[in-house]
Amino acid sequence: MEMRRFMSWTDEDFPSSVVSMALATRTDRRPSMTRTLWDSSVGKKTIMAVSGLVMLGYLVVHMLGNLKIFFGSDEFNHYAHWLRTLGEPFLHYEWALWIVRVVLVAAVVLHAVSAYQLSRRDLRARPTAYVHRKARSSYATRTMRYGGVILALFIVWHILDLTTGTVHSGGFQSGHPYQNVLDTFSTWYGNVIYIVAVLALGLHVQHGFWSAAQTLGVGSATRDRVLKTLANVLAVVLTAGFVSVPVAVMTGVVS
Amino acid sequence: MKLTLRVWRQQNAEAPGAMATYEVDGISQDMSFLEMLDTLNEELILGGDEPVAFDHDCREGICGACSLVINGDAHGPERTTTCQLHMRSFDDGDTIDIEPWRASAFPVVKDLVVDRSSFDRIIQAGGYISAPTGTAPDAHATPVPKPDADSAFEHAECIGCGACVAACPNGSAMLFTSAKVNHLNVLPQGAPERETRVLDMVATMDDEGFGGCTLTGECATACPKGIPLPSITAMNKEWLRATRKVRR
């Protein structure tokens, strides 16, 4: 009875346009989860966080693998060969490597496209700069965009240098990565490009890892110190680990 | 105190604006920043000039009407609203730059006044509860755990002034939206719209042309009510949960 009275009151007192608008809103279907993620700034940040963590996980393994260079050419070359036979006999030769490559390319593309679109949105949202300017955020935070571009360019050079050998300085020999690495780090520009990129990586990871935690909703006031420390440790360990290789070649520790 | 003011003057939304320089004398250290601007305006009116337009209402730091970016800081050098900022925070002979909030979602109406109705539309998208509350219920009718009540209250402190957007290099409204979402989402009264609230408010925030969050933390530093940066993290968590749980 109560319900009936309420309904009739609604019908009489509201213009039909209001009622139909309410109905239209109620029948409006929400877009799928993928669509919601891609269309939202928060969703795109989630895509950036996940793809960034995938790349970060790869980099930790890559850095540890690089350190094998300190155990001599046999062990380093053998490790490189093992990467190609990984997963055999279930997987064919080099399939594991290609799976990793496909996942990484997907991560790089999603990360870069999201970053580009979010940056466009951010710049549009603040079209007029303040006359009185102050730089307050940390260096790592302010250089995320430039750092990302540096890293993207580096990845292209790095693959052309040590995977395909297209722009390699010495005679590139497939299957002899130890010698190829020595060749690259025997040139001044090889060292400069590599070290600049690795420093950019350290800064990118320092802000990026902590940011990813916030975007994924893992951070909290009590966990903040742990996450910031973890970000700093990751940044320093990755930078030191990667830089140690060109430094070792330059100083003759690895020859 | 004798001060040099550099103030953004803009006739209307379409006209180009510029910084204009004014000298004011006889300013007391006990004046609020807005009283100092009142003094300037009285002189401008006496001289036959147009007074500087700026937003203000309660002048006791609770309404969220006042704004102003003072020397590059939203609400000036102290962590409070512009109306509660006093001239003792400045020195005799200072030059002070006064600009409006800058964001494409906050278009300048005139001089230092910006249109913040985009915030209203974010609230309209979900900053409410649909539960019929009737007359004031007994305090123990709906049990709320103390930490949840504290969290809701902390977020309810947001006065919607827009300092977070003004301070953010991306003109993002994430801190405002997160304060409003978390305020209701932690309470049982807000539970029926828990998913739709966060999805709709974030979608409206995006539609209004606010930028995204890059976690620079400038918003939380500028907030006169101390809404903390982890509010954004909590909203991200709610948003991700809602994309999975919402009825489609």
Side-chain angles (χ1 to χ4, degrees):
Chain A
M1 280 299 288
E2 182 68 18
M3 188 67 186
R4 179 61 217 146
R5 194 182 64 79
F6 186 77
M7 289 291 285
S8 61
W9 170 82
T10 309
D11 293 341
E12 282 162 26
D13 287 15
F14 279 93
S16 59
S17 62
V18 172
V19 175
S20 62
M21 198 171 72
L23 284 175
T25 315
R26 226 173 297 149
T27 51
D28 195 18
R29 286 202 56 202
R30 285 188 179 272
S32 68
M33 190 171 163
T34 319
R35 194 50 24 228
T36 311
L37 277 169
W38 190 252
D39 285 348
S40 165
S41 64
V42 175
K44 278 222 176 83
K45 284 280 290 183
T46 309
I47 291 164
M48 286 198 72
V50 172
S51 56
L53 288 175
V54 167
M55 291 188 277
L56 184 60
Y58 168 79
L59 283 175
V60 171
V61 177
H62 185 22
M63 187 273 289
L64 292 174
N66 283 6
L67 295 181
K68 285 198 165 282
I69 203 160
F70 291 102
F71 297 114
S73 67
D74 286 351
E75 189 159 343
F76 191 70
N77 288 346
H78 179 252
Y79 167 70
H81 182 70
W82 172 79
L83 288 176
R84 280 148 184 82
T85 58
L86 185 66
E88 283 185 22
F90 180 68
L91 296 174
H92 188 66
Y93 179 74
E94 278 197 349
W95 275 22
L97 200 62
W98 275 105
I99 290 168
V100 171
R101 283 169 178 167
V102 168
V103 170
L104 283 175
V105 166
V108 168
V109 168
L110 285 172
H111 200 77
V113 170
S114 301
Y116 174 75
Q117 293 182 349
L118 285 169
S119 298
R120 284 282 303 267
R121 157 180 284 280
D122 294 347
L123 295 173
R124 268 202 311 270
R126 169 58 61 72
T128 318
Y130 288 109
V131 174
H132 193 113
R133 288 189 202 199
K134 279 189 169 181
R136 274 163 298 201
S137 52
S138 74
Y139 186 75
T141 310
R142 275 183 282 131
T143 51
M144 285 303 273
R145 284 172 195 150
Y146 306 112
V149 172
I150 289 175
L151 288 173
L153 294 173
F154 168 75
I155 291 169
V156 172
W157 175 80
H158 192 53
I159 290 170
L160 292 177
D161 180 33
L162 287 170
T163 306
T164 64
T166 319
V167 297
H168 193 65
S169 49
F172 182 80
Q173 292 174 285
S174 189
H176 295 83
Y178 188 87
Q179 189 55 46
N180 294 337
V181 169
L182 285 188
D183 291 345
T184 291
F185 294 136
S186 300
T187 59
W188 67 267
Y189 61 86
N191 286 310
V192 168
I193 294 172
Y194 193 86
I195 291 171
V196 165
V198 169
L199 291 176
L201 173 72
L203 288 168
H204 207 77
V205 166
Q206 200 229 336
H207 182 69
F209 178 78
W210 177 80
S211 284
Q214 309 308 314
T215 302
L216 297 175
V218 182
S220 70
T222 46
R223 273 190 222 143
D224 203 49
R225 186 170 294 204
V226 174
L227 285 169
K228 280 207 163 114
T229 309
L230 201 55
N232 290 339
V233 167
L234 268 171
V236 168
V237 167
L238 278 176
T239 309
F242 279 121
V243 163
S244 69
V245 177
V247 168
V249 175
M250 276 190 280
T251 54
V253 175
V254 169
S255 58
Chain B
M1 292 169 82
K2 194 174 189 310
L3 298 166
T4 306
L5 304 176
R6 299 205 305 150
V7 185
W8 183 263
R9 299 305 305 263
Q10 184 172 338
Q11 195 56 45
N12 55 53
E14 284 76 35
M19 296 295 269
T21 307
Y22 302 102
E23 305 277 340
V24 281
D25 204 352
I27 299 296
S28 157
Q29 296 223 318
D30 299 326
M31 279 182 177
S32 75
F33 198 85
L34 297 185
E35 284 167 341
M36 184 276 293
L37 285 179
D38 292 338
T39 310
L40 168 69
N41 277 347
E42 281 169 10
E43 285 175 18
L44 288 175
I45 292 165
L46 283 175
D49 292 324
E50 183 100 345
V52 177
F54 61 90
D55 267 327
H56 63 100
D57 191 13
C58 75
R59 297 211 179 192
E60 51 189 22
I62 55 167
C63 77
C66 62
S67 55
L68 309 187
V69 170
I70 302 160
N71 285 341
D73 289 320
H75 290 304
E78 311 285 340
R79 195 189 182 113
T80 186
T81 53
T82 298
C83 61
Q84 292 294 299
L85 174 70
H86 289 84
M87 296 315 292
R88 65 182 82 98
S89 301
F90 300 90
D91 293 318
D92 188 31
D94 274 1
T95 298
I96 305 174
D97 290 337
I98 309 169
E99 298 171 71
W101 282 176
R102 290 288 187 204
S104 57
F106 286 168
V108 173
V109 176
K110 184 179 184 179
D111 295 340
L112 302 170
V113 177
V114 298
D115 179 359
R116 284 172 281 188
S117 53
S118 47
F119 266 15
D120 298 339
R121 290 187 287 275
I122 294 176
I123 293 289
Q124 281 166 13
Y128 54 81
I129 61 166
S130 62
T133 50
T135 53
D138 289 338
H140 63 303
T142 311
V144 180
K146 181 76 166 79
D148 291 353
D150 286 347
S151 174
F153 195 85
E154 185 180 30
H155 291 114
E157 280 193 68
C158 170
I159 52 176
C161 64
C164 44
V165 176
C168 176
N170 310 322
S172 172
M174 285 286 277
L175 195 70
F176 166 78
T177 311
S178 70
K180 298 303 177 191
V181 165
N182 294 329
H183 164 207
L184 297 175
N185 271 24
V186 296
L187 292 173
Q189 289 88 346
E193 298 87 20
R194 185 175 170 187
E195 291 85 21
T196 53
R197 174 177 301 116
V198 62
L199 291 175
D200 292 345
M201 288 179 81
V202 167
T204 307
M205 179 187 84
D206 283 345
D207 289 346
E208 290 293 337
F210 290 102
C213 179
T214 51
L215 290 147
T216 64
E218 307 240 4
C219 52
T221 309
C223 178
K225 296 295 161 184
I227 305 296
L229 192 60
S231 291
I232 292 178
T233 314
M235 180 172 77
N236 288 335
K237 194 176 177 181
E238 281 294 309
W239 191 88
L240 286 171
R241 181 188 168 279
T243 56
R244 281 178 277 119
K245 302 258 177 179
V246 76
R247 288 184 197 169
R248 292 196 162 84

